[in-house]
Amino acid sequence: MNAPARRLELGSLGFDSGASTLLALELGSLRAGESVEIRAEAADLASQLAAWARGRGHRVEELGAGRFQLELGAAHAARRVGAERAGRAPATDVAARPSQRWGLAARGALVEAGGAPFSFRLATADEAWFAGAPELYRAAAAAQWDPGTAIPWDTPLEHPAEVEDALVTVLTYLIENETAALLVPARFATQVHPQFREVLQRLALQAADEARHIEVFSRRAALRRSELGLSTTGGQASLRTLVEEPDFDRAALLLGVLGEGTFVNLLTFLREHAPERCTAELMRLVAADEARHVAFAMGHLAERIRHEPTLLARLASAVRERHDTLRATAGLNEEVFDALVLLAAGAFAPDAIARGHAAVVELVAQMDAGRRMRLRKLGFSADDAASLSGLHTRNFM
Ligand SMILES: [Fe+2]
Ligand SMILES: [Fe+2]
């Protein structure tokens, strides 16, 4: 054995009181073939140390008078041979093409060689990462709200029964849409390489937001009614195209930019025309969450398009293909449309209904203007933006 490079004082520490922890720490700083001198006073340490060292492939020699020399075994050292850093810890320093062998390792961790590779589908920075992701994650984490305390659930509900029915019809539709909006980020979260952890964390928070939306809409609907409204085949067909969209970029456009963007208008409309404060407040909170979801999709796609301008054509065909798939379906169900009119009208009188109808027509125009504006921001021409917005599902999401 080579002369010991260092010395470790165990004092009276035995293997029953933590000697192995100190030994492991000491050995962590040695290279193969290097050795350490150990001084120990605990009775019976010699046999325990010999057994411990043998089990780990280290050589140990007794020098007498409570002194031992322990040499790091090749097997132990080999754990670090071929080990790789899983990128670097700071957020701005993600690896462009992280190894699938890094698997679940923390960004910046030292990964032992020999592990089986994972198969994350979104495994390059080009596909999954954008510089604004850490900030959007932090904003999303800071904006989480508690459904139990954030909403005035005990608001008196004194509006007419017909208005309550209209609201429950809309809530039924919203819950279904929120369920699709939860499944999409949840599914893509499983495909993002953990090197891009803020994207993964952001997707998880988006799914958590949608879980809250499902909860508050369900809870509001149950305040005065024991039954929910209609779920239509047209609505579900539209949402199915989102839930089953396999491409991250196309899903970001269809759900994030077009669907959730349109929903921000819808939720704002529902806040403005809410029959009472409880509904107004929950629509406000949900709309604020949705605005963040839109910002994330826009941030992701803007960066993708900057690197790969041909992506615009691929995104345009996503909208056209979805439109073709849904050509034969009804889109927004009539009950929801009528319920929106009634909510905006607030009453059944013909002049009130006329006002409500005009408000819904205005809402649809605002939705279209918002979609065109976002598509223009991504780089589509004014004509393309107008035609793609026009092809967006009549189901809104
Ligand atoms: Fe939502
Ligand atoms: Fe959303």
Side-chain angles (χ1 to χ4, degrees), residues 178 181-182 206 209-210 213 255 260 286 289-291 293-294 397:
E178 297 293 351
L182 185 158
Q206 184 164 329
D209 287 345
E210 310 300 9
H213 302 170
L255 172 68
E260 290 172 309
V286 173
D289 288 346
E290 293 306 337
H293 303 173
V294 177
M397 178 71 89

Side-chain angles (χ1 to χ4, degrees), residues 46-303:
S47 62
Q48 290 175 355
L49 178 62
W52 185 88
R54 201 167 40 245
R56 286 159 184 76
H58 307 310
R59 276 172 64 201
V60 68
E61 218 168 80
E62 191 161 1
L63 306 175
R67 291 164 56 241
F68 306 87
Q69 186 173 350
L70 190 146
E71 186 185 86
L72 192 76
H76 185 86
R79 287 176 64 197
R80 289 181 179 239
V81 173
E84 246 188 295
R85 281 275 160 214
R88 288 153 53 133
T92 48
D93 258 353
V94 297
R97 307 188 75 83
S99 167
Q100 293 281 7
R101 291 190 186 279
W102 296 353
L104 307 174
R107 188 162 68 224
L110 187 65
V111 187
E112 279 186 7
F118 280 69
S119 46
F120 295 108
R121 256 183 8 105
L122 298 166
T124 67
D126 275 355
E127 291 166 295
W129 181 253
F130 70 102
E135 187 44 45
L136 287 176
Y137 165 69
R138 277 190 289 278
Q144 299 290 301
W145 43 272
D146 174 359
T149 55
I151 292 162
W153 294 111
D154 52 1
T155 300
L157 308 178
E158 289 156 346
H159 48 275
E162 298 81 3
V163 173
E164 180 69 9
D165 289 336
L167 181 60
V168 170
T169 295
V170 173
L171 291 168
T172 305
Y173 155 86
L174 289 175
I175 294 164
E176 185 170 310
N177 281 263
E178 297 293 351
T179 303
L182 185 158
L183 293 177
V184 174
R187 190 157 59 86
F188 286 112
T190 67
Q191 302 177 6
V192 174
H193 192 299
Q195 177 75 188
F196 311 117
R197 67 174 169 82
E198 290 85 352
V199 170
L200 172 61
Q201 290 165 284
R202 237 287 322 174
L203 288 168
L205 282 189
Q206 184 164 329
D209 287 345
E210 310 300 9
R212 261 196 329 275
H213 302 170
I214 293 170
E215 176 190 343
V216 296
F217 292 147
S218 302
R219 196 161 158 183
R220 173 61 191 84
L223 285 185
R224 265 177 76 181
R225 290 287 180 271
S226 56
E227 284 182 349
L228 289 181
L230 187 69
S231 168
T232 64
T233 53
Q236 294 225 28
S238 178
L239 295 175
R240 178 190 289 263
T241 58
L242 288 182
V243 170
E244 294 181 353
E245 172 56 60
D247 183 273
F248 191 40
D249 299 324
R250 287 167 50 120
L253 182 81
L254 296 175
L255 172 68
V257 174
L258 298 176
E260 290 172 309
T262 300
F263 253 53
V264 172
N265 293 110
L266 175 63
L267 295 161
T268 305
F269 174 94
L270 289 167
R271 172 171 63 80
E272 285 163 5
H273 297 288
E276 29 66 24
R277 215 164 62 78
C278 170
T279 298
E281 188 57 14
L282 71 84
M283 294 300 172
R284 185 186 71 78
L285 288 165
V286 173
D289 288 346
E290 293 306 337
R292 287 199 315 275
H293 303 173
V294 177
F296 182 75
M298 289 291 290
H300 165 77
L301 286 178
E303 183 119 338

